[in-house]
mmCIF file of all heavy atoms in Angstrom:
data_model
loop_
_atom_site.group_PDB
_atom_site.id
_atom_site.type_symbol
_atom_site.label_atom_id
_atom_site.label_comp_id
_atom_site.label_asym_id
_atom_site.label_seq_id
_atom_site.Cartn_x
_atom_site.Cartn_y
_atom_site.Cartn_z
ATOM 1 N N LEU Y 5 17.368 -2.782 1.818
ATOM 2 C CA LEU Y 5 16.682 -3.382 2.971
ATOM 3 C C LEU Y 5 17.622 -4.292 3.755
ATOM 4 O O LEU Y 5 17.621 -4.281 4.990
ATOM 5 C CB LEU Y 5 15.444 -4.160 2.512
ATOM 6 C CG LEU Y 5 14.285 -3.336 1.970
ATOM 7 C CD1 LEU Y 5 13.172 -4.252 1.469
ATOM 8 C CD2 LEU Y 5 13.763 -2.363 3.005
ATOM 9 N N ILE Y 6 18.430 -5.045 3.048
ATOM 10 C CA ILE Y 6 19.394 -5.930 3.713
ATOM 11 C C ILE Y 6 20.419 -5.103 4.479
ATOM 12 O O ILE Y 6 20.729 -5.399 5.636
ATOM 13 C CB ILE Y 6 20.077 -6.871 2.693
ATOM 14 C CG1 ILE Y 6 19.062 -7.876 2.156
ATOM 15 C CG2 ILE Y 6 21.285 -7.571 3.311
ATOM 16 C CD1 ILE Y 6 19.543 -8.679 0.968
ATOM 17 N N SER Y 7 20.915 -4.055 3.842
ATOM 18 C CA SER Y 7 21.906 -3.191 4.493
ATOM 19 C C SER Y 7 21.328 -2.527 5.742
ATOM 20 O O SER Y 7 21.989 -2.481 6.795
ATOM 21 C CB SER Y 7 22.391 -2.129 3.503
ATOM 22 O OG SER Y 7 23.275 -1.236 4.135
ATOM 23 N N LEU Y 8 20.108 -2.037 5.649
ATOM 24 C CA LEU Y 8 19.452 -1.425 6.806
ATOM 25 C C LEU Y 8 19.269 -2.448 7.930
ATOM 26 O O LEU Y 8 19.463 -2.131 9.108
ATOM 27 C CB LEU Y 8 18.102 -0.825 6.409
ATOM 28 C CG LEU Y 8 18.145 0.409 5.502
ATOM 29 C CD1 LEU Y 8 16.745 0.746 4.993
ATOM 30 C CD2 LEU Y 8 18.777 1.590 6.211
ATOM 31 N N SER Y 9 18.918 -3.674 7.563
ATOM 32 C CA SER Y 9 18.741 -4.735 8.564
ATOM 33 C C SER Y 9 20.066 -5.071 9.241
ATOM 34 O O SER Y 9 20.118 -5.282 10.458
ATOM 35 C CB SER Y 9 18.162 -5.990 7.919
ATOM 36 O OG SER Y 9 16.860 -5.724 7.441
ATOM 37 N N GLU Y 10 21.136 -5.109 8.465
ATOM 38 C CA GLU Y 10 22.456 -5.370 9.036
ATOM 39 C C GLU Y 10 22.873 -4.258 9.989
ATOM 40 O O GLU Y 10 23.439 -4.516 11.063
ATOM 41 C CB GLU Y 10 23.489 -5.553 7.924
ATOM 42 C CG GLU Y 10 23.304 -6.826 7.145
ATOM 43 C CD GLU Y 10 24.162 -6.918 5.889
ATOM 44 O OE1 GLU Y 10 24.705 -5.894 5.429
ATOM 45 O OE2 GLU Y 10 24.279 -8.041 5.364
ATOM 46 N N ASP Y 11 22.603 -3.005 9.591
ATOM 47 C CA ASP Y 11 22.922 -1.871 10.457
ATOM 48 C C ASP Y 11 22.123 -1.932 11.757
ATOM 49 O O ASP Y 11 22.648 -1.640 12.837
ATOM 50 C CB ASP Y 11 22.659 -0.544 9.736
ATOM 51 C CG ASP Y 11 23.628 -0.286 8.587
ATOM 52 O OD1 ASP Y 11 24.662 -0.982 8.495
ATOM 53 O OD2 ASP Y 11 23.340 0.626 7.775
ATOM 54 N N LYS Y 12 20.861 -2.316 11.645
ATOM 55 C CA LYS Y 12 20.026 -2.438 12.843
ATOM 56 C C LYS Y 12 20.563 -3.540 13.751
ATOM 57 O O LYS Y 12 20.642 -3.363 14.972
ATOM 58 C CB LYS Y 12 18.570 -2.718 12.455
ATOM 59 C CG LYS Y 12 17.641 -2.814 13.651
ATOM 60 C CD LYS Y 12 16.190 -2.969 13.219
ATOM 61 C CE LYS Y 12 15.267 -3.048 14.417
ATOM 62 N NZ LYS Y 12 13.857 -3.083 14.008
ATOM 63 N N TYR Y 13 20.943 -4.648 13.170
ATOM 64 C CA TYR Y 13 21.500 -5.754 13.945
ATOM 65 C C TYR Y 13 22.751 -5.303 14.696
ATOM 66 O O TYR Y 13 22.938 -5.627 15.870
ATOM 67 C CB TYR Y 13 21.802 -6.941 13.034
ATOM 68 C CG TYR Y 13 22.327 -8.147 13.772
ATOM 69 C CD1 TYR Y 13 21.453 -9.007 14.428
ATOM 70 C CD2 TYR Y 13 23.691 -8.418 13.825
ATOM 71 C CE1 TYR Y 13 21.923 -10.112 15.114
ATOM 72 C CE2 TYR Y 13 24.171 -9.519 14.520
ATOM 73 C CZ TYR Y 13 23.282 -10.356 15.154
ATOM 74 O OH TYR Y 13 23.751 -11.442 15.846
ATOM 75 N N SER Y 14 23.582 -4.546 14.013
ATOM 76 C CA SER Y 14 24.801 -4.024 14.638
ATOM 77 C C SER Y 14 24.466 -3.128 15.831
ATOM 78 O O SER Y 14 25.099 -3.231 16.892
ATOM 79 C CB SER Y 14 25.624 -3.250 13.605
ATOM 80 O OG SER Y 14 26.737 -2.655 14.195
ATOM 81 N N SER Y 15 23.489 -2.258 15.670
ATOM 82 C CA SER Y 15 23.071 -1.389 16.774
ATOM 83 C C SER Y 15 22.496 -2.200 17.928
ATOM 84 O O SER Y 15 22.745 -1.893 19.099
ATOM 85 C CB SER Y 15 22.046 -0.355 16.299
ATOM 86 O OG SER Y 15 22.677 0.654 15.541
ATOM 87 N N LEU Y 16 21.738 -3.242 17.612
ATOM 88 C CA LEU Y 16 21.181 -4.097 18.662
ATOM 89 C C LEU Y 16 22.285 -4.828 19.430
ATOM 90 O O LEU Y 16 22.202 -4.977 20.651
ATOM 91 C CB LEU Y 16 20.191 -5.102 18.070
ATOM 92 C CG LEU Y 16 18.868 -4.501 17.597
ATOM 93 C CD1 LEU Y 16 18.077 -5.527 16.769
ATOM 94 C CD2 LEU Y 16 18.045 -4.008 18.766
ATOM 95 N N GLU Y 17 23.324 -5.245 18.719
ATOM 96 C CA GLU Y 17 24.460 -5.869 19.391
ATOM 97 C C GLU Y 17 25.136 -4.885 20.344
ATOM 98 O O GLU Y 17 25.531 -5.247 21.453
ATOM 99 C CB GLU Y 17 25.474 -6.375 18.367
ATOM 100 C CG GLU Y 17 25.068 -7.648 17.679
ATOM 101 C CD GLU Y 17 26.139 -8.153 16.727
ATOM 102 O OE1 GLU Y 17 26.722 -7.332 15.981
ATOM 103 O OE2 GLU Y 17 26.403 -9.365 16.742
ATOM 104 N N LYS Y 18 25.277 -3.635 19.897
ATOM 105 C CA LYS Y 18 25.884 -2.604 20.747
ATOM 106 C C LYS Y 18 25.032 -2.368 21.994
ATOM 107 O O LYS Y 18 25.572 -2.227 23.097
ATOM 108 C CB LYS Y 18 26.050 -1.298 19.971
ATOM 109 C CG LYS Y 18 27.115 -1.364 18.896
ATOM 110 C CD LYS Y 18 27.164 -0.074 18.095
ATOM 111 C CE LYS Y 18 28.105 -0.199 16.913
ATOM 112 N NZ LYS Y 18 28.080 0.989 16.046
ATOM 113 N N ILE Y 19 23.720 -2.337 21.812
ATOM 114 C CA ILE Y 19 22.822 -2.156 22.960
ATOM 115 C C ILE Y 19 22.977 -3.317 23.935
ATOM 116 O O ILE Y 19 23.019 -3.122 25.152
ATOM 117 C CB ILE Y 19 21.354 -1.994 22.499
ATOM 118 C CG1 ILE Y 19 21.172 -0.630 21.827
ATOM 119 C CG2 ILE Y 19 20.385 -2.163 23.666
ATOM 120 C CD1 ILE Y 19 19.825 -0.435 21.168
ATOM 121 N N TYR Y 20 23.076 -4.524 23.407
ATOM 122 C CA TYR Y 20 23.256 -5.702 24.266
ATOM 123 C C TYR Y 20 24.556 -5.590 25.069
ATOM 124 O O TYR Y 20 24.567 -5.818 26.281
ATOM 125 C CB TYR Y 20 23.251 -6.971 23.413
ATOM 126 C CG TYR Y 20 23.520 -8.220 24.202
ATOM 127 C CD1 TYR Y 20 22.558 -8.745 25.063
ATOM 128 C CD2 TYR Y 20 24.739 -8.887 24.100
ATOM 129 C CE1 TYR Y 20 22.802 -9.896 25.804
ATOM 130 C CE2 TYR Y 20 24.987 -10.030 24.831
ATOM 131 C CZ TYR Y 20 24.020 -10.522 25.686
ATOM 132 O OH TYR Y 20 24.269 -11.654 26.406
ATOM 133 N N ASP Y 21 25.639 -5.220 24.392
ATOM 134 C CA ASP Y 21 26.921 -5.065 25.075
ATOM 135 C C ASP Y 21 26.865 -3.954 26.123
ATOM 136 O O ASP Y 21 27.416 -4.089 27.219
ATOM 137 C CB ASP Y 21 28.034 -4.778 24.068
ATOM 138 C CG ASP Y 21 28.355 -5.978 23.187
ATOM 139 O OD1 ASP Y 21 28.011 -7.116 23.572
ATOM 140 O OD2 ASP Y 21 28.942 -5.769 22.108
ATOM 141 N N GLU Y 48 22.102 4.651 20.128
ATOM 142 C CA GLU Y 48 21.795 3.463 19.329
ATOM 143 C C GLU Y 48 20.291 3.316 19.091
ATOM 144 O O GLU Y 48 19.863 2.940 18.005
ATOM 145 C CB GLU Y 48 22.366 2.200 19.977
ATOM 146 C CG GLU Y 48 23.873 2.168 20.037
ATOM 147 C CD GLU Y 48 24.546 2.323 18.687
ATOM 148 O OE1 GLU Y 48 24.037 1.785 17.686
ATOM 149 O OE2 GLU Y 48 25.586 3.003 18.630
ATOM 150 N N THR Y 51 19.388 5.659 16.416
ATOM 151 C CA THR Y 51 19.847 5.112 15.133
ATOM 152 C C THR Y 51 18.865 4.073 14.617
ATOM 153 O O THR Y 51 18.492 4.087 13.442
ATOM 154 C CB THR Y 51 21.258 4.495 15.287
ATOM 155 O OG1 THR Y 51 22.177 5.520 15.672
ATOM 156 C CG2 THR Y 51 21.723 3.832 14.008
ATOM 157 N N ILE Y 52 18.430 3.180 15.496
ATOM 158 C CA ILE Y 52 17.473 2.143 15.107
ATOM 159 C C ILE Y 52 16.159 2.759 14.639
ATOM 160 O O ILE Y 52 15.583 2.323 13.634
ATOM 161 C CB ILE Y 52 17.248 1.155 16.265
ATOM 162 C CG1 ILE Y 52 18.492 0.290 16.458
ATOM 163 C CG2 ILE Y 52 16.010 0.283 16.020
ATOM 164 C CD1 ILE Y 52 18.475 -0.573 17.696
ATOM 165 N N GLN Y 53 15.698 3.777 15.332
ATOM 166 C CA GLN Y 53 14.455 4.434 14.916
ATOM 167 C C GLN Y 53 14.593 5.017 13.519
ATOM 168 O O GLN Y 53 13.689 4.894 12.687
ATOM 169 C CB GLN Y 53 14.059 5.509 15.922
ATOM 170 C CG GLN Y 53 13.558 4.953 17.229
ATOM 171 C CD GLN Y 53 13.306 6.016 18.289
ATOM 172 O OE1 GLN Y 53 13.944 7.065 18.299
ATOM 173 N NE2 GLN Y 53 12.384 5.735 19.190
ATOM 174 N N LEU Y 55 16.711 3.996 11.162
ATOM 175 C CA LEU Y 55 16.782 2.872 10.229
ATOM 176 C C LEU Y 55 15.395 2.298 9.962
ATOM 177 O O LEU Y 55 15.060 1.971 8.815
ATOM 178 C CB LEU Y 55 17.705 1.787 10.786
ATOM 179 C CG LEU Y 55 19.193 2.135 10.886
ATOM 180 C CD1 LEU Y 55 19.926 1.091 11.719
ATOM 181 C CD2 LEU Y 55 19.813 2.276 9.510
ATOM 182 N N ASP Y 56 14.591 2.163 11.015
ATOM 183 C CA ASP Y 56 13.234 1.630 10.864
ATOM 184 C C ASP Y 56 12.377 2.513 9.966
ATOM 185 O O ASP Y 56 11.612 2.009 9.142
ATOM 186 C CB ASP Y 56 12.562 1.467 12.230
ATOM 187 C CG ASP Y 56 13.062 0.262 13.005
ATOM 188 O OD1 ASP Y 56 13.729 -0.607 12.405
ATOM 189 O OD2 ASP Y 56 12.793 0.194 14.219
ATOM 190 N N PHE Y 59 13.505 1.900 6.443
ATOM 191 C CA PHE Y 59 13.078 0.561 6.045
ATOM 192 C C PHE Y 59 11.592 0.577 5.679
ATOM 193 O O PHE Y 59 11.194 0.067 4.624
ATOM 194 C CB PHE Y 59 13.350 -0.419 7.186
ATOM 195 C CG PHE Y 59 13.189 -1.859 6.823
ATOM 196 C CD1 PHE Y 59 14.282 -2.625 6.467
ATOM 197 C CD2 PHE Y 59 11.939 -2.474 6.857
ATOM 198 C CE1 PHE Y 59 14.144 -3.974 6.145
ATOM 199 C CE2 PHE Y 59 11.787 -3.811 6.539
ATOM 200 C CZ PHE Y 59 12.896 -4.560 6.179
#
Side-chain angles (χ1 to χ4, degrees):
L5 291 176
I6 291 169
S7 176
L8 291 170
S9 295
E10 290 170 344
D11 291 346
K12 182 175 181 175
Y13 182 81
S14 175
S15 285
L16 289 168
E17 284 183 317
K18 290 176 187 175
I19 289 172
Y20 176 73
D21 291 340
E48 295 303 322
T51 298
I52 289 171
Q53 288 174 331
L55 293 168
D56 284 346
F59 190 97

